[in-house]
Amino acid sequence: MATLVLHHQTSPAEDAEVLHQAFKGWGSDGKAIIAILGHRNVHQRQEIRRAYEEIYQENLIKRLESEISGDFERAVYRWMLEAADRDAVLINVAIKNGPKEYHVIAEISSVLSAKELLAVRSAYHDRYKRSMEEDVAAHTTGHLRQLLVGLVSSYRYEGDDIHAKLAQTEANILHESIKEKKANHEEVIRILTTRSKTQLVATFNRYRDEHGISITKKLVDQSSDDFVKVLHTVIRCINDPRKYYEKVLRNAMKKFGTDEDGLTRVIVTRAEKDLKDIKEIYYKRNSVHLEDDVSKEISGDYKRFILTLLGNQD
């Protein structure tokens, strides 16, 4: 796991004091906020939160929300949360925003390990006093509900065992379900929400070998309803999450108008995990560095903060 390191050793109390000073006067000092928070790892950020509250009797995240705004505020707010709590917030926002963001629910629940997803469900309980499953179910219907509830409540086996015959059988089930306009959604849902990721990758590979086309490309040729879009996200995230994230970033910047939410989500959630690998894939795919594309698309403190997380600015 990648970690951010301090340029020089400071205590959480000293960092809290710098932030407190940054909030004084007319308008906050965005550069000072970035200089501290953009260069502290998750454990250091939580220590700063505790130190700030202890010294100033004030919640640091709430103070940040009142001092900064827009995309910069959303990015810093999400960066300050621990990973499970952040994912719980992202899923809650996606539920509220409706079908156009259901892919975010699929993305998070498909990329995380079983234990990580369990931690997100627990964080969701603590924050919203409801279960993630009941909120997903309350906002969706039919097969889409079955798929999303199955994903967020899944606890997949994480061993490396592969059953070749099962991969063949289930590749055929997926093929028949996609081929038929009246797809056998229940079987597709069962397979995608219960099998281990290793087994599913074997099934997807079997599908490609048998039919000469990847299952995701075949899905794109089909209808573009909400169920199929979520299905597409699940398969991409399980098959190769880093390639999936590269495409989210590419789409966030290549389409008309920048998708700041997509850009922020990927960079903030992957900065301490595999962002370096995603950056390399981005360069290979686009022949331009991710930082260079980001620099052209966004501006101000938001730009400075995102570039800092990308490791490209002090």
Side-chain angles (χ1 to χ4, degrees):
M1 180 188 287
T3 54
L4 297 171
V5 293
L6 291 162
H7 288 301
H8 57 277
Q9 205 61 39
T10 58
S11 71
E14 288 172 310
D15 284 342
E17 187 180 348
V18 173
L19 290 170
H20 189 66
Q21 289 297 321
F23 301 146
K24 288 186 174 177
W26 182 256
S28 57
D29 183 350
K31 286 184 181 177
I33 293 168
I34 294 165
I36 296 292
L37 300 181
H39 294 285
R40 303 299 186 265
N41 67 34
V42 62
H43 305 297
Q44 292 163 333
R45 296 194 300 276
Q46 302 320 307
E47 287 176 349
I48 293 167
R49 279 178 69 179
R50 286 189 287 272
Y52 190 94
E53 190 153 353
E54 200 173 293
I55 297 166
Y56 301 108
Q57 304 300 302
E58 183 179 38
N59 183 297
L60 175 57
I61 291 182
K62 285 185 177 170
R63 184 63 191 264
L64 283 163
E65 285 181 290
S66 70
E67 290 288 339
I68 58 181
S69 60
D71 294 313
F72 179 43
E73 181 272 319
R74 276 189 289 277
V76 171
Y77 172 76
R78 287 167 185 180
W79 180 241
M80 285 302 295
L81 299 176
E82 292 184 81
D85 198 24
R86 177 170 59 226
D87 285 335
V89 168
L90 289 169
I91 286 177
N92 182 259
V93 170
I95 292 168
K96 287 178 179 172
N97 287 343
K100 69 180 187 294
E101 287 201 17
Y102 287 164
H103 66 279
V104 175
I105 304 170
E107 171 191 305
I108 292 168
S109 53
S110 300
V111 168
L112 297 182
S113 70
K115 285 183 180 176
E116 287 170 337
L117 184 55
L118 191 60
V120 175
R121 296 217 298 273
S122 176
Y124 199 101
H125 285 176
D126 293 343
R127 182 174 274 270
Y128 301 109
K129 312 307 176 198
R130 299 184 303 276
S131 80
M132 201 155 68
E133 299 91 321
E134 71 179 302
D135 275 1
V136 169
H139 287 78
T140 52
T141 57
H143 290 115
L144 182 60
R145 173 193 282 169
Q146 289 173 25
L147 177 57
L148 287 172
V149 171
L151 288 169
V152 299
S153 57
S154 179
Y155 195 88
R156 299 180 193 275
Y157 171 64
E158 294 188 335
D160 294 328
D161 316 52
I162 294 173
H163 301 284
K165 279 188 180 176
L166 186 63
Q168 174 73 65
T169 302
E170 296 192 337
N172 290 340
I173 291 171
L174 292 175
H175 176 67
E176 289 302 314
S177 297
I178 292 167
K179 189 175 73 172
E180 297 294 329
K181 292 296 179 188
K182 295 176 186 172
N184 188 353
H185 291 326
E186 278 84 3
E187 280 295 88
V188 172
I189 293 165
R190 176 187 64 79
I191 292 165
L192 291 181
T193 60
T194 64
R195 296 299 182 204
S196 74
K197 292 177 185 178
T198 307
Q199 182 66 34
L200 284 171
V201 170
T203 299
F204 302 152
N205 289 341
R206 192 74 228 149
Y207 185 102
R208 189 189 60 236
D209 293 344
E210 287 276 313
H211 306 290
I213 184 172
S214 73
I215 189 168
T216 47
K217 282 198 173 73
K218 189 68 179 172
L219 277 170
V220 169
D221 294 340
Q222 300 295 306
S223 69
S224 58
D225 64 28
D226 294 328
F227 178 81
V228 172
K229 284 176 183 171
V230 168
L231 211 57
H232 189 265
T233 299
V234 174
I235 294 168
R236 281 192 62 96
C237 286
I238 289 172
N239 218 11
D240 195 331
R242 289 165 186 167
K243 276 190 180 176
Y244 166 81
Y245 285 126
E246 183 279 327
K247 190 168 185 182
V248 173
L249 290 170
R250 180 163 23 108
N251 287 345
M253 293 184 285
K254 300 297 183 191
K255 291 185 175 177
F256 181 74
T258 308
D259 172 14
E260 286 86 0
D261 281 345
L263 184 68
T264 298
R265 187 177 76 254
V266 174
I267 291 173
V268 168
T269 60
R270 308 317 293 179
E272 293 176 289
K273 293 186 175 178
D274 53 5
L275 188 56
K276 185 171 179 285
D277 298 328
I278 295 164
K279 283 164 63 175
E280 286 173 9
I281 294 167
Y282 191 93
Y283 182 74
K284 282 177 187 170
R285 175 67 177 72
N286 304 286
S287 302
V288 60
H289 292 292
L290 177 57
E291 296 92 324
D292 294 337
D293 271 350
V294 166
S295 292
K296 292 179 213 159
E297 292 289 327
I298 58 177
S299 60
D301 285 332
Y302 176 52
K303 171 180 171 177
R304 277 188 283 274
F305 183 62
I306 292 296
L307 287 177
T308 299
L309 299 191
L310 284 166
N312 204 48
Q313 188 160 310
D314 291 330

Coordinates of all heavy atoms in Angstrom, one line a residue, residues 20 26 30 41 49 62 89 98-99 131 147 162 176 184 189 192 197 217 230 273 276 283 286 298 307-308 312:
H20 N -5.4 25.8 12.3 CA -6.2 26.8 13.0 C -5.8 28.2 12.5 O -6.7 29.0 12.3 CB -5.9 26.7 14.5 CG -6.9 27.5 15.4 ND1 -8.2 27.3 15.4 CD2 -6.6 28.6 16.2 CE1 -8.8 28.2 16.2 NE2 -7.8 29.0 16.7
W26 N -9.9 36.8 6.7 CA -11.0 36.8 5.7 C -10.7 35.7 4.7 O -9.7 35.9 3.9 CB -11.1 38.2 5.0 CG -12.2 38.3 4.0 CD1 -12.0 38.2 2.6 CD2 -13.6 38.3 4.2 NE1 -13.2 38.3 2.0 CE2 -14.2 38.4 3.0 CE3 -14.4 38.4 5.4 CZ2 -15.6 38.4 2.8 CZ3 -15.7 38.5 5.3 CH2 -16.3 38.5 4.0
G30 N -5.9 28.2 1.7 CA -6.0 26.9 1.0 C -4.7 26.2 0.9 O -4.5 25.0 1.1
N41 N -0.6 10.8 6.0 CA -1.3 9.6 5.7 C -2.5 9.5 6.6 O -2.8 10.3 7.5 CB -0.3 8.4 5.8 CG 0.1 8.1 7.3 OD1 -0.6 8.4 8.2 ND2 1.4 7.7 7.4
R49 N -7.0 15.2 13.6 CA -8.4 15.5 13.9 C -8.6 15.4 15.4 O -9.3 16.3 16.0 CB -9.3 14.4 13.3 CG -9.7 14.6 11.9 CD -10.6 13.4 11.4 NE -11.9 13.4 11.9 CZ -12.8 12.5 11.6 NH1 -12.5 11.5 10.7 NH2 -14.0 12.5 12.2
K62 N -15.9 19.6 10.4 CA -17.0 20.7 10.4 C -16.4 22.0 10.1 O -17.0 22.8 9.4 CB -17.8 20.7 11.6 CG -18.8 19.4 11.7 CD -19.7 19.5 12.9 CE -20.7 18.3 12.8 NZ -21.4 18.1 14.0
V89 N -20.1 7.0 3.0 CA -20.6 8.3 2.6 C -20.9 8.3 1.1 O -21.9 8.7 0.6 CB -19.7 9.5 2.9 CG1 -20.0 10.8 2.2 CG2 -19.7 9.7 4.5
G98 N -29.7 8.5 -7.1 CA -30.5 7.7 -8.0 C -29.7 7.0 -9.1 O -28.5 6.9 -9.0
P99 N -30.4 6.4 -10.1 CA -29.8 5.5 -11.1 C -28.5 6.0 -11.8 O -27.7 5.1 -12.0 CB -31.0 5.4 -12.1 CG -32.2 5.6 -11.3 CD -31.8 6.6 -10.3
S131 N -29.2 0.2 7.9 CA -28.3 -0.6 7.2 C -28.2 -0.2 5.8 O -29.1 0.4 5.2 CB -28.7 -2.1 7.3 OG -29.8 -2.4 6.3
L147 N -29.7 -7.2 -7.5 CA -28.2 -7.2 -7.8 C -27.5 -6.3 -6.8 O -26.5 -6.7 -6.2 CB -28.0 -6.7 -9.2 CG -26.6 -6.5 -9.7 CD1 -25.8 -7.8 -9.6 CD2 -26.5 -6.0 -11.1
I162 N -9.8 -22.4 -8.1 CA -10.6 -22.2 -9.3 C -11.2 -23.6 -9.7 O -10.5 -24.6 -9.8 CB -9.7 -21.7 -10.5 CG1 -9.3 -20.3 -10.2 CG2 -10.5 -21.7 -11.8 CD1 -8.3 -19.7 -11.2
E176 N -25.9 -17.3 -22.4 CA -27.3 -17.5 -22.7 C -28.1 -16.3 -22.2 O -29.0 -15.9 -22.8 CB -27.8 -18.8 -22.1 CG -27.2 -20.1 -22.8 CD -27.5 -20.1 -24.3 OE1 -28.7 -19.8 -24.7 OE2 -26.6 -20.4 -25.1
N184 N -31.9 -14.3 -18.2 CA -32.1 -15.0 -16.9 C -31.4 -14.2 -15.8 O -30.3 -14.6 -15.3 CB -31.6 -16.4 -17.0 CG -32.0 -17.3 -15.9 OD1 -32.5 -16.8 -14.9 ND2 -31.7 -18.6 -15.9
I189 N -27.3 -12.7 -11.4 CA -27.2 -12.1 -10.1 C -26.6 -13.1 -9.1 O -25.6 -12.7 -8.3 CB -28.6 -11.6 -9.5 CG1 -29.0 -10.4 -10.4 CG2 -28.5 -11.2 -8.1 CD1 -30.5 -10.1 -10.2
L192 N -22.8 -13.5 -9.9 CA -21.9 -12.3 -9.7 C -21.9 -11.8 -8.2 O -21.0 -11.1 -7.8 CB -22.4 -11.1 -10.6 CG -22.2 -11.3 -12.1 CD1 -22.7 -10.1 -12.8 CD2 -20.7 -11.5 -12.4
K197 N -13.9 -13.7 -6.4 CA -13.4 -12.9 -7.6 C -12.5 -13.8 -8.5 O -12.5 -13.7 -9.7 CB -12.6 -11.7 -7.1 CG -13.6 -10.7 -6.4 CD -12.8 -9.5 -5.8 CE -13.8 -8.6 -5.1 NZ -13.1 -7.5 -4.5
K217 N -17.7 -6.3 -23.5 CA -18.0 -5.7 -24.9 C -19.4 -6.2 -25.4 O -20.1 -5.5 -26.0 CB -16.9 -6.2 -25.9 CG -15.6 -5.3 -25.7 CD -14.7 -5.5 -27.0 CE -13.5 -4.6 -26.9 NZ -12.5 -5.0 -25.9
V230 N -25.0 -1.4 -14.4 CA -24.5 -1.9 -13.2 C -23.7 -3.2 -13.4 O -22.6 -3.4 -12.8 CB -25.6 -2.0 -12.1 CG1 -25.0 -2.7 -10.8 CG2 -26.1 -0.6 -11.7
K273 N -3.6 3.5 -2.0 CA -3.6 2.1 -2.4 C -2.8 1.9 -3.7 O -1.7 1.5 -3.6 CB -5.1 1.7 -2.6 CG -5.8 1.7 -1.2 CD -7.2 1.2 -1.3 CE -7.8 1.1 0.1 NZ -9.2 0.6 0.1
K276 N -0.5 4.8 -8.1 CA 0.7 4.8 -8.9 C 0.5 3.9 -10.1 O 0.8 4.2 -11.3 CB 1.9 4.4 -8.1 CG 3.2 4.4 -8.8 CD 4.3 4.1 -7.8 CE 5.7 4.2 -8.5 NZ 5.9 3.0 -9.3
Y283 N -1.1 6.5 -18.5 CA -0.1 7.0 -19.5 C 0.0 6.0 -20.7 O 0.1 6.5 -21.9 CB 1.2 7.1 -18.8 CG 2.3 7.7 -19.7 CD1 2.3 9.0 -20.1 CD2 3.3 6.8 -20.3 CE1 3.3 9.5 -21.0 CE2 4.2 7.3 -21.2 CZ 4.2 8.7 -21.5 OH 5.1 9.2 -22.4
N286 N -3.2 6.6 -22.9 CA -3.5 7.9 -23.4 C -2.2 8.6 -23.9 O -2.4 9.7 -24.5 CB -4.2 8.7 -22.4 CG -5.5 8.1 -21.9 OD1 -6.5 8.0 -22.6 ND2 -5.4 7.5 -20.7
I298 N -9.0 21.3 -14.3 CA -9.5 21.9 -13.1 C -8.6 23.1 -12.7 O -7.5 23.3 -13.3 CB -9.6 20.9 -12.0 CG1 -8.3 20.2 -11.7 CG2 -10.7 19.8 -12.3 CD1 -8.3 19.2 -10.5
L307 N -3.5 17.5 -7.4 CA -2.1 17.3 -7.9 C -1.2 16.9 -6.7 O -0.3 16.1 -6.9 CB -1.6 18.6 -8.6 CG -2.1 18.9 -9.9 CD1 -1.6 20.2 -10.5 CD2 -1.9 17.8 -11.0
T308 N -1.5 17.4 -5.5 CA -0.7 17.0 -4.4 C -0.9 15.5 -4.1 O 0.0 14.7 -3.9 CB -1.1 17.8 -3.1 OG1 -0.8 19.2 -3.4 CG2 -0.3 17.3 -1.9
N312 N 2.4 15.3 -7.3 CA 3.0 16.1 -8.4 C 3.2 17.6 -7.9 O 3.6 18.4 -8.7 CB 2.2 16.1 -9.6 CG 3.0 16.4 -10.9 OD1 4.1 15.9 -11.1 ND2 2.5 17.3 -11.7

